[in-house]
Amino acid sequence: MKRFKIRAMLIATLMITAYSCADSVKKQEINPLWGMWVQNFPQTSTKNEIMFNDDSTGFVFNVDTLVYETQWKGENEIEIQYKSNNNATLNGYTIKYKAEVVEDTLTLQEEISGKLTRYIRIRQ
C-alpha cells in the first residue's frame, strides 16, 4: 500500500511537471514576411522573386536564376543587404524599406527613393 501511494505521488508530480513545462513553451511566432514572393508591380518582362527565410537570410531570383543572396532584419521597416557572386548592381548594398503585408500581398517601398515594388505570395 505504501508503494502504491509513493508511485501515485511520483506520477502526479511528473504529470504536474510535464504540464507546467508544456504550458511554458512559447509557440514560435511566424513573421508574415517569411516565404517566397513573386513581383507583380511594376510589371516586368521576366519573373522576379524574393524569398525571406526564418533565419534572416534570403534570395532574389530572376527567371529562376539566383541573382542575390540576402541578409535581412526588421518587420515593418526592414533592411536588406544584397550579396552577389556575379557583381550584380546591388552587390554589397544595404537598402532600407517600409514593408507591409496584407493577406498575400507584400509591398516594399524604398526609404530613400520611394520606389514601390509589390509582390504576391507563392503558396506551396
Side-chain angles (χ1 to χ4, degrees), residues 77-96:
E77 292 186 6
I78 63 173
E79 290 182 11
I80 301 177
Q81 180 182 19
Y82 296 90
K83 302 175 208 164
S84 174
N85 291 331
N86 61 4
N87 292 323
T89 309
L90 297 177
N91 184 42
Y93 281 94
T94 298
I95 300 178
K96 293 182 182 183

Side-chain angles (χ1 to χ4, degrees), residues 40-54:
N40 78 330
F41 177 85
Q43 288 187 342
T44 61
S45 59
T46 60
K47 182 172 82 170
N48 293 321
E49 298 166 302
I50 189 166
M51 178 178 220
F52 295 97
N53 294 321
D54 60 350

Side-chain angles (χ1 to χ4, degrees), residues 52 78 97-99 106-110 115-117 119:
F52 295 97
I78 63 173
Y97 298 90
K98 289 182 182 176
L106 166 65
T107 303
L108 295 179
Q109 184 172 17
E110 287 185 37
K115 180 182 174 189
L116 191 72
T117 310
Y119 299 86

Side-chain angles (χ1 to χ4, degrees), residues 26-66:
K26 195 175 187 179
K27 288 183 180 177
Q28 182 182 11
E29 292 185 30
I30 297 176
N31 187 323
L33 286 173
W34 294 347
M36 178 72 88
W37 303 84
V38 65
Q39 183 176 331
N40 78 330
F41 177 85
Q43 288 187 342
T44 61
S45 59
T46 60
K47 182 172 82 170
N48 293 321
E49 298 166 302
I50 189 166
M51 178 178 220
F52 295 97
N53 294 321
D54 60 350
D55 63 355
S56 298
T57 62
F59 303 94
V60 176
F61 298 95
N62 182 284
V63 191
D64 298 325
T65 302
L66 177 64

